[in-house]
């Protein structure tokens, strides 16, 4: 059994604050591990941008994590997973494992044998057809019907802190109406930001199992590390970087004290 002498953090990144849910879950599941978060709050939302721009941003965020010697990367963003995952892989050394958010959510569908599911996400994620493709790739023994809905207003609403605003429930109800009529058994929150609206979504679809893509991905990362030897230092460090510091709710979402620092890279120094 080899113990590493230098503690390397697990890196997590997202276009904004959505990935904090995955970070919180990781902090809970892996109390010994150092964690490093990057939220690109200066350029959020990614979901309405071109694939080329998302690829460029995703690679810049990845380099930021690599420069800080992360040992594992959780891409806590469905939009990046949908259009830029292969490009992230291209710049990451093979020794560093990358976990995305789409496969773990589909794992839940397969495990629970759901036959009618809904997927909500950004316009880019939904247009990419990534969830349908991942489901096809698994060759299920029974047909799985997938109802998708792009919800482009939801990321800005969440970044603005409007989760409990009266207008938000009306918007979410409108977005979910076709999925509600389809009588799905489960709904994938195919955007990590949407966890912040889980209560509202559950109120509209009380009998539907909500699958949180960020939290499910965090569980997969945790499984990879729980089977590995513990590292030397019992002290853990959680670092949180944002490319724009106007977002002051990160602390509140995490539920534990963390210093939020300004990320210096690309056009953000
Ligand atoms: N949290 C990101 C996702 O999972 C939001 C993307 C965006 O910035 O629009 O897709």
């Amino acid at each position: 059994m080899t113990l590493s002498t230098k503690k390397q953090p697990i890196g997590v990144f997202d276009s904004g604050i959505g990935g904090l849910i995955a970070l919180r879950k990781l902090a809970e599941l892996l109390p010994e591990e150092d964690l490093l978060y990057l939220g690109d709050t200066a350029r959020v939302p990614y979901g309405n941008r071109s694939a080329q721009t998302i690829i460029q941003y995703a690679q810049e965020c990845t380099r930021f994590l690599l420069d800080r010697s992360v040992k594992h990367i959780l891409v806590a963003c469905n939009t990046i997973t949908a259009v830029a995952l292969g490009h992230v892989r291209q710049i990451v050394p093979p020794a560093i494992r990358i976990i995305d958010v789409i496969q773990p959510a589909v794992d839940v569908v397969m495990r629970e044998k759901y036959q009618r599911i809904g997927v909500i996400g950004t316009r880019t994620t939904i247009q990419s057809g990534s969830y349908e493709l991942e489901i096809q790739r698994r060759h299920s023994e029974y047909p799985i019907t997938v109802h998708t809905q792009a919800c482009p207003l939801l990321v800005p609403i969440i970044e603005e802190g409007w989760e409990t605003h009266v207008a938000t429930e009306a918007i979410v109800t409108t977005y979910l109406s076709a999925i509600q009529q389809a009588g799905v058994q489960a709904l994938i929150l195919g955007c990590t930001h949407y966890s912040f609206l889980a209560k509202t979504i559950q109120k509209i679809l009380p009998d539907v199992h909500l699958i949180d893509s960020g939290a499910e991905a965090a569980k997969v990362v945790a499984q990879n590390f729980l089977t590995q030897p513990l590292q030397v230092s019992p002290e853990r460090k959680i670092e949180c970087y944002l490319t724009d510091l106007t977002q002051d709710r990160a602390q509140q979402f995490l539920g534990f004290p963390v210093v939020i620092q300004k990320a210096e890279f690309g056009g953000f120094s």
Side-chain angles (χ1 to χ4, degrees):
M1 185 188 285
T2 44
L3 289 176
S4 59
T5 48
K6 186 172 166 290
K7 245 185 153 185
Q8 288 177 277
I10 296 171
V12 180
F13 77 102
D14 177 40
S15 58
I17 56 171
L20 289 173
I21 296 288
L23 182 75
R24 193 171 73 190
K25 189 88 197 154
L26 271 185
E28 173 195 314
L29 296 173
L30 295 173
E32 310 273 345
E33 294 288 345
D34 283 357
L35 305 172
L36 194 153
Y37 183 83
L38 173 64
D40 195 0
T41 45
R43 302 188 290 195
V44 71
Y46 283 13
N48 300 326
R49 297 184 191 273
S50 69
Q52 199 187 0
T53 301
I54 296 167
I55 290 164
Q56 179 204 323
Y57 290 177
Q59 288 190 329
E60 286 171 3
C61 291
T62 305
R63 285 198 191 95
F64 179 89
L65 297 182
L66 292 174
D67 287 347
R68 280 150 191 82
S69 304
V70 295
K71 61 180 175 183
H72 205 91
I73 294 178
L74 169 54
V75 180
C77 177
N78 285 263
T79 307
I80 295 172
T81 302
V83 299
L85 190 64
H87 299 266
V88 168
R89 286 195 199 288
Q90 274 170 15
I91 60 166
V92 174
I96 298 176
R97 189 148 174 208
I98 302 171
I99 299 294
D100 69 82
V101 273
I102 292 183
Q103 288 195 30
V106 172
D107 285 345
V108 178
V109 174
M110 305 314 278
R111 202 167 56 231
E112 300 294 330
K113 301 196 181 333
Y114 289 127
Q115 296 181 26
R116 278 185 325 283
I117 66 156
V119 180
I120 52 173
T122 65
R123 193 171 274 139
T124 300
T125 300
I126 297 305
Q127 281 177 356
S128 74
S130 299
Y131 274 98
E132 292 95 318
L133 289 170
E134 182 57 25
I135 286 168
Q136 266 171 30
R137 196 180 68 80
R138 306 293 185 94
H139 298 298
S140 151
E141 292 148 13
Y142 51 89
I144 301 176
T145 314
V146 185
H147 300 269
T148 60
Q149 177 66 52
C151 309
L153 292 175
L154 299 189
V155 171
I157 282 175
I158 293 156
E159 292 280 335
E160 278 300 313
W162 275 32
E163 297 92 284
T164 53
H165 193 286
V166 64
T168 302
E169 187 171 334
I171 292 168
V172 176
T173 305
T174 306
Y175 276 145
L176 291 178
S177 83
I179 282 181
Q180 188 174 30
Q181 279 166 27
V184 299
Q185 299 158 300
L187 175 69
I188 296 179
L189 307 184
C191 170
T192 51
H193 278 73
Y194 299 172
S195 316
F196 296 113
L197 291 174
K199 276 197 192 131
T200 307
I201 295 171
Q202 196 74 83
K203 192 173 148 201
I204 298 163
L205 303 174
D207 301 323
V208 173
H209 174 195
L210 301 187
I211 303 173
D212 183 323
S213 58
E216 292 304 326
K219 287 184 207 165
V220 172
V221 175
Q223 273 157 20
N224 293 340
F225 282 96
L226 287 172
T227 52
Q228 293 198 359
L230 290 179
Q231 294 189 313
V232 283
S233 166
E235 301 271 308
R236 80 115 118 235
K237 194 161 86 182
I238 300 182
E239 291 178 275
C240 186
Y241 289 89
L242 300 178
T243 50
D244 185 294
L245 291 185
T246 54
Q247 182 48 264
D248 56 3
R249 296 181 310 142
Q251 187 77 69
Q252 164 201 335
F253 292 139
L254 284 172
F256 49 78
V258 65
V259 180
I260 316 277
Q261 301 172 71
K262 171 105 165 65
E264 310 270 336
F265 72 91
F268 303 110
S269 49

